Amino acid sequence: MHDDSMCRSSTSSSATVSTSTGRQGLEHKKSVTFDDGIKPGVEAAASNAAAVAATNIMSSFKVRTNETDTDQVSLFKPETLTAQELEERIRQLKDPNEPPIEFRIHNNLTVISKIVDNFDCYLNRNGGYCWIFSTRGLCTVAQDELIFIFDVNINNANDIISDLLLHIHQIYIDATKGSFVRHLGLSLLSNSSTFLGSSTATGFLYISDPTSLYNLFPETPYIFGVLIHQLELPTAQCFPMRLLLRLGYEYQSYPWPLFSILNRDAMFTDTQHTIMSLLCDFRSFTYVLSTIRGLTISIGIQGSVSIRIPRNRHDDILKSLEQSSPHALSFGIVNINRQVHSKHLVTIQNSTDQQYETRVFSSLDSNDEQIMIGGNFLVINASLRSRDSPSSSPLDTQNTGNYSLHNNLNAKVNTIEDGIMLQIDGDALKVLKQCLKERKDYAILAKARSIVVEEQKDSTNGNVMKKSSSEQLVEFLWIDDDNDFNRGVRSPIDHFPMDGIRNSRIHYAGQRSSLFRLRWTDLFFIQCHLNNNESFDPTRLADSLAKAFTQALIPFIDMLVEAKYRKLGLRVTIDRENASYLAGSNGEQLSPFFLSQLDDHMIPIVMKASDNVSRTAPSLVLELIFYLLD
């Protein structure tokens, strides 16, 4: 869950950070080198693996080609299964009394697979099965773990397994080179006419959904891969939220499905008849709709429109303003706040004339008391002629608590496809942009030409769209910071929750030994309130801490393995009054032996950093995450 703003105010840790002093560590003279790349031969190995893709494969594989070099791997040892063997393997995958099957891609990356009928999704609710694949080990290269869920297609079982394992392996290789897939990211095929037994599948679109839990899923963070049709690729690249919501509408899975349907029809086949053709470049992809994390677009039950912007996304708003046209402004969303919305606008492309139509999509547990419907984007254009009287005004909530409005407005608002269009005059747009720059609330009264507020069922006409046509308030409100990230992530030291705490992913190969490596993958800013004039650099400090931590423990890798310390955490507090560090794994501190090895390396760095922080600067608390690799 990477966030570009690495050092800002965030939730401070309530966990006790112990001061490690008084213990005498051993002096180690072993030289240390850090390698950010991978060994030559990976591309050749991947190429050899691709040649094996057409071979039927359904077993675990030993793949290490060189016991002293973990980067040189040959992906699979092919195995062809007879029809009877394949039937037996499928039976094992389906049998609830049998354990999941583990496909070992290499020593640091495995895939767990099982066919189940008790996972809460559209497939199981309709009497089908879910075929689940979940990775273990991508976290060691700073890549979120991946989960893939398919409808069961036994005829293509061999293709599904071999193609998917090859694809996961390529994602691993890309991650070692610093290329990652994240929420709303894509992993596409390179050169292949078929994928997973389908001639129309072109890759995966990824979704972060930490609220979905199941016993086969890996430790958070993880993302779900949803298969996309080749005709949907432009939409997936330019505005993936539209595609996800459309798939959710199709398969009754609000807000989007976490599973893939093999050989399904495309949801969108044409991009010429959508307003997105004006906001996105579907051909060369030189520009896309500006999206703001945490921003929500809501329609009230009577048709009012509310745009809520987190205060900590002000920099993103400023960037969008700089890139916007003098006569227009547009924003899109990147997630859905389910605490605010249980209904959402979705657009459907008509198969006859390719036109886009608006629908309202509801969750299964939504009710009539739900007053807000989510929108996917907002377009503001100054297409109307300016009037002499003021057409808009900032809110004055601090002084009067009321909106300052004018009734003779020239503004119009309506739903368009799965978003909102606001038409105003040039003067109003200037006022709006200035309010956004100054982080002020803003409101305007507009004539609602066609605001969709509900979708009802009619016995003769099917879906009937209920619309509002009165004057409606359109308001832009600044709200509390967006902290909806790293949900479910826990510290390996003491299981302290990292919800809402900013972090940075580290592309960093780490220290080598003859058989193992210790890799630094994450940096969490538990508390970071440095003054603007503070010359202290927390990222440079983190780099020094990572090198010292690795140097101290690398001679004792075999002992760490024996103690089952695979994921380790280092939490450091920098304060002139309390300089300390804490190291742990599996929810507890490291044993006294390992702490004694760390003291000589960590204490000098922590004390020096505390001396360099000014007396007026609050505490700095960082946590570094390391993985022990085979």
Side-chain angles (χ1 to χ4, degrees), residues 296-339:
T296 60
I297 302 168
S298 304
I299 304 171
I301 192 169
Q302 299 300 327
S304 62
V305 177
S306 177
I307 298 91
R308 291 176 170 84
I309 312 168
R311 294 187 178 276
N312 60 340
R313 301 304 174 197
H314 185 235
D315 290 345
D316 296 331
I317 291 292
L318 293 178
K319 185 182 298 184
S320 296
L321 291 174
E322 292 176 359
Q323 298 173 350
S324 66
S325 163
H327 308 291
L329 185 61
S330 60
F331 302 116
I333 66 172
V334 297
N335 214 328
I336 291 179
N337 188 332
R338 300 182 206 184
Q339 295 178 343

Side-chain angles (χ1 to χ4, degrees), residues 2 76 96 107 147 188 232 251 304 330 458 468 522 566 569 611:
H2 170 69
F76 299 129
N107 282 10
I147 301 172
L188 304 177
E232 298 166 347
Y251 297 110
S304 62
S330 60
D458 183 85
S468 170
D522 292 87
R566 287 289 184 173
D611 291 339

Side-chain angles (χ1 to χ4, degrees), residues 122-417:
Y122 169 85
L123 299 175
N124 285 169
R125 288 196 299 267
N126 288 273
Y129 286 86
C130 291
W131 193 348
I132 300 177
F133 296 82
S134 63
T135 66
R136 303 291 190 278
L138 287 174
C139 56
T140 63
V141 288
Q143 166 64 54
D144 291 347
E145 299 290 356
L146 304 180
I147 301 172
F148 302 92
I149 305 174
F150 301 98
D151 59 327
V152 174
N153 190 331
I154 305 305
N155 295 329
N156 294 329
N158 280 317
D159 291 336
I160 292 172
I161 294 174
S162 60
D163 288 356
L164 186 62
L165 296 183
L166 281 163
H167 197 70
I168 292 171
H169 176 258
Q170 186 58 53
I171 291 173
Y172 178 93
I173 295 299
D174 292 342
T176 63
K177 300 176 182 179
S179 177
F180 309 101
V181 289
R182 301 287 189 245
H183 174 64
L184 301 186
L186 295 168
S187 64
L188 304 177
L189 305 183
S190 53
N191 296 310
S192 178
S193 58
T194 62
F195 182 59
L196 306 176
S198 171
S199 60
T200 60
T202 190
F204 293 97
L205 171 61
Y206 293 91
I207 316 160
S208 174
D209 194 340
T211 62
S212 183
L213 305 173
Y214 193 64
N215 57 3
L216 291 178
F217 292 174
E219 181 180 345
T220 51
Y222 50 76
I223 51 179
F224 295 84
V226 177
L227 196 64
I228 57 176
H229 194 285
Q230 61 185 10
L231 296 178
E232 298 166 347
L233 184 57
T235 304
Q237 289 181 306
C238 289
F239 199 31
M241 287 292 293
R242 165 170 289 187
L243 176 58
L244 290 172
L245 286 161
R246 176 64 182 90
L247 288 169
Y249 186 87
E250 181 74 13
Y251 297 110
Q252 306 166 35
S253 302
Y254 184 88
W256 41 58
L258 302 177
F259 54 87
S260 300
I261 302 294
L262 298 171
N263 296 302
R264 63 171 175 81
D265 294 333
M267 298 294 103
F268 300 107
T269 59
D270 175 83
T271 57
Q272 297 180 4
H273 298 82
T274 170
I275 188 175
M276 281 297 143
S277 61
L278 302 176
L279 306 176
C280 306
D281 178 7
F282 285 109
R283 293 186 176 182
S284 58
F285 307 107
T286 55
Y287 60 91
V288 296
L289 176 68
S290 175
T291 54
I292 308 296
R293 181 169 183 167
L295 179 142
T296 60
I297 302 168
S298 304
I299 304 171
I301 192 169
Q302 299 300 327
S304 62
V305 177
S306 177
I307 298 91
R308 291 176 170 84
I309 312 168
R311 294 187 178 276
N312 60 340
R313 301 304 174 197
H314 185 235
D315 290 345
D316 296 331
I317 291 292
L318 293 178
K319 185 182 298 184
S320 296
L321 291 174
E322 292 176 359
Q323 298 173 350
S324 66
S325 163
H327 308 291
L329 185 61
S330 60
F331 302 116
I333 66 172
V334 297
N335 214 328
I336 291 179
N337 188 332
R338 300 182 206 184
Q339 295 178 343
V340 177
H341 304 132
S342 65
K343 300 180 181 179
H344 213 279
L345 295 181
V346 63
T347 188
I348 296 176
Q349 189 173 24
N350 191 307
S351 59
T352 57
D353 57 9
Q354 304 300 313
Q355 297 297 319
Y356 286 72
E357 303 174 357
T358 302
R359 293 285 184 268
V360 176
F361 177 30
S362 303
S363 64
L364 295 176
D365 56 356
S366 65
N367 53 62
D368 294 337
E369 297 179 358
Q370 174 67 33
I371 61 174
M372 303 299 280
I373 300 172
N376 222 2
F377 66 91
L378 171 72
V379 177
I380 309 161
N381 69 72
S383 59
L384 303 181
R385 185 175 300 175
S386 299
R387 295 191 173 188
D388 296 334
S389 59
S391 59
S392 58
S393 63
L395 297 180
D396 192 12
T397 55
Q398 292 183 348
N399 296 331
T400 65
N402 298 318
Y403 298 102
S404 177
L405 295 171
H406 299 267
N407 294 325
N408 56 344
L409 298 183
N410 192 29
K412 298 177 182 179
V413 61
N414 64 286
T415 52
I416 179 168
E417 298 175 10

